[in-house]
Amino acid sequence: MDRFEVFFDLVFVFSFFIITRATAVNITGHSLLHGMLVLAVLWWCWVVHTVVATRVRLGVGFVPALMVVGMAALFCFALSLPQAFGDPVQWAIGPVVVAVSYLVLRAVHLLLYWHVAGERPGERRLLLKYSPELVLSTLLLLGAALIPPQIDDRGRADLVRDGLWIAVVLLQYGAGLVANTWGWVLTSAEHWTERYDLILIIALGESIISVGVGGNLLGEPVTWRGVTAAVLGIFFTAALWWTHFDMIAPAARIAQHAAQGRLRVSLARDAYAYSQLVMIAGIIVFALGAETIVRQIADLSINLAEPTHGPGVPLLFGGVICYLCGGMLFQLRALGTLSWTRVGTVLVLAAAVPLATHLPAMAALSLLTAICVALVATEVVVMADARRALHEAVFEEKTTYEKHEADWRARWHQGSPDEKPR
């Protein structure tokens, strides 16, 4: 993967942080809906970006200059998100900036793919067939920015704006399903899986930042309460990382490599482009819940024995459930299997929500952490043989690849033919 792509990813994940921060200002059902709509639109831009990146080296030639334009548009998109769902009857520049930034970013991807598709004229014709999705989605976003201020009734204006955003999401993901796999080619399964693995890791890391900033751990003196909450947050986030990247992600990567033709494309779409959206949504939701819980724990004016209040527990447990369900969808589509440990954990988490709402904040966070760590420990023991076999296969592949790289780079070394490469 090109280093320039990592640079782009960091700007992209900044949008996740903005979504979390904007939603945390006033957590309601409507604000959560708005956050998920923005995430879905943004994630589709990411999917299109990864499709382009599998065909174009983003750090070579004129491409970085064009991608910087896309990154600037993405940054403006993220900065304007807090205004995207403001007062619908008052005109604001933010929603217009969102629509224009979206158009610029998508146009950059379209130009890049159009350029590389010149090698295959049939691909350009295919690209034209799906360009209406870009035009219509942009018009819908512009409509969501310009039409509601013309409506006097706030409730109706709010309904129109939300309806237009929902239409954008349905158009985008519906186009992906209607397009199916006909005519598309996934040239590098390694690049595709690596990009999606990395964005998921960065999103998990971003959730920790959101908890630290939103929970006001940086703005208060260090206390044992804050340190304990921070440690618990790290433990359960690491456990969630483990649930995906210890076995499922490596096995799915192998499955993606093994698939060929249209099967490879459909697997990439369903498992990575669609299922991982559910996982990212879960990360944002549990980050909101953890932030609320940690803020209560760190607040010295609140008695530790006092039960939690607000939406913290439902968001925390619900977000983890959403993340695990997305992971199970990913596993089912990529590997055709479903782990009873994951299903059982989701049921335990759902059953624990009523109990956790009556527990003190520290106890509720500890309960969630214990459940997540127990899941990891159970799978390490129960699936020990399969886990060992998978890790050995992955290790053998890595060492073989590294040996091939070392042999190839040996030509760079100066000296006698008998000198070993370093």
Side-chain angles (χ1 to χ4, degrees):
M1 187 172 67
D2 196 286
R3 288 174 176 79
F4 190 86
E5 296 179 61
V6 180
F7 186 25
F8 180 88
D9 292 351
L10 293 176
V11 178
F12 184 87
V13 175
F14 172 72
S15 303
F16 294 165
F17 180 77
I18 293 296
I19 292 173
T20 307
R21 299 270 45 80
T23 308
V25 172
N26 182 26
I27 301 177
T28 63
H30 277 95
S31 64
L32 284 174
L33 171 64
H34 296 160
M36 294 302 103
L37 288 174
V38 170
L39 173 64
V41 171
L42 190 66
W43 183 255
W44 187 254
C45 295
W46 165 256
V47 172
V48 173
H49 171 76
T50 52
V51 170
V52 173
T54 58
R55 298 293 305 279
V56 182
R57 293 188 179 275
L58 298 184
V60 178
F62 73 93
V63 179
L66 194 56
M67 282 307 304
V68 167
V69 176
M71 290 168 62
L74 177 60
F75 195 65
C76 292
F77 184 96
L79 292 176
S80 303
L81 289 179
Q83 285 191 339
F85 289 94
D87 190 343
V89 298
Q90 292 185 357
W91 189 88
I93 191 63
V96 178
V97 173
V98 167
V100 174
S101 301
Y102 171 85
L103 174 61
V104 172
L105 179 60
R106 293 292 306 275
V108 167
H109 290 144
L110 181 65
L111 287 173
L112 286 174
Y113 202 94
W114 181 269
H115 170 72
V116 73
E119 304 168 2
R120 301 177 182 178
E123 275 195 287
R124 283 192 170 181
R125 290 193 296 270
L126 184 68
L127 197 61
L128 288 175
K129 290 181 180 180
Y130 301 117
S131 56
E133 179 268 319
L134 167 59
V135 176
L136 289 176
S137 59
T138 302
L139 290 176
L140 287 171
L141 287 176
L142 281 173
L146 300 177
I147 295 176
Q150 311 302 321
I151 303 174
D152 294 331
D153 182 75
R154 178 169 182 171
R156 187 180 302 174
D158 198 31
L159 188 63
V160 169
R161 181 191 57 193
D162 292 356
L164 289 171
W165 272 85
I166 292 172
V168 172
V169 174
L170 294 176
L171 174 64
Q172 291 175 328
Y173 292 87
L177 292 174
V178 171
N180 205 345
T181 60
W182 186 257
W184 299 108
V185 178
L186 182 60
T187 54
S188 175
E190 182 67 23
H191 185 273
W192 181 269
T193 56
E194 190 177 20
R195 292 306 304 278
Y196 281 86
D197 286 350
L198 181 61
I199 200 68
L200 194 60
I201 292 171
I202 297 176
L204 284 168
E206 195 73 34
S207 71
I208 296 174
I209 297 174
S210 296
V211 171
V213 174
N216 203 29
L217 293 180
L218 299 179
E220 297 291 338
V222 177
T223 63
W224 73 268
R225 296 166 59 158
V227 170
T228 304
V231 170
L232 290 173
I234 291 292
F235 278 11
F236 90 76
T237 305
L240 294 179
W241 174 91
W242 189 286
T243 60
H244 186 73
F245 289 101
D246 182 54
M247 289 186 63
I248 302 301
R253 173 181 160 274
I254 294 173
Q256 187 69 63
H257 275 280
Q260 298 295 324
R262 297 178 66 181
L263 179 60
R264 171 182 281 194
V265 177
S266 63
L267 177 58
R269 178 198 63 195
D270 299 341
Y272 289 89
Y274 282 26
S275 297
Q276 279 202 5
L277 171 61
V278 182
M279 300 176 73
I280 296 290
I283 290 172
I284 290 177
V285 173
F286 80 62
L288 288 168
E291 174 184 327
T292 304
I293 295 293
V294 170
R295 188 185 299 118
Q296 294 179 32
I297 294 173
D299 190 347
L300 297 177
S301 65
I302 298 178
N303 192 327
L304 275 180
E306 182 181 333
T308 59
H309 51 83
V313 167
L315 289 174
L316 179 62
F317 281 72
V320 174
I321 290 172
C322 183
Y323 176 87
L324 292 176
C325 286
M328 288 191 291
L329 288 174
F330 180 92
Q331 178 185 354
L332 184 62
R333 180 61 184 88
L335 306 176
T337 62
L338 201 60
S339 303
W340 63 267
T341 51
R342 310 292 174 95
V343 176
T345 301
V346 167
L347 294 177
V348 169
L349 285 168
V353 172
L355 170 64
T357 53
H358 295 89
L359 293 176
M362 186 76 80
L365 185 58
S366 300
L367 176 62
L368 177 83
T369 304
I371 294 173
C372 293
V373 172
L375 168 62
V376 171
T378 302
E379 291 191 343
V380 167
V381 174
V382 173
M383 303 179 183
D385 293 338
R387 182 170 174 268
R388 186 181 306 110
L390 175 63
H391 286 188
E392 287 176 355
V394 171
F395 179 76
E396 182 181 0
E397 180 196 10
K398 286 183 177 179
T399 53
T400 303
Y401 179 75
E402 289 169 357
K403 183 181 182 302
H404 174 74
E405 277 191 326
D407 292 341
W408 191 88
R409 290 169 178 165
R411 298 178 298 176
W412 299 346
H413 293 274
Q414 300 295 328
S416 63
D418 296 332
E419 185 179 350
K420 293 182 179 180
R422 291 172 293 179

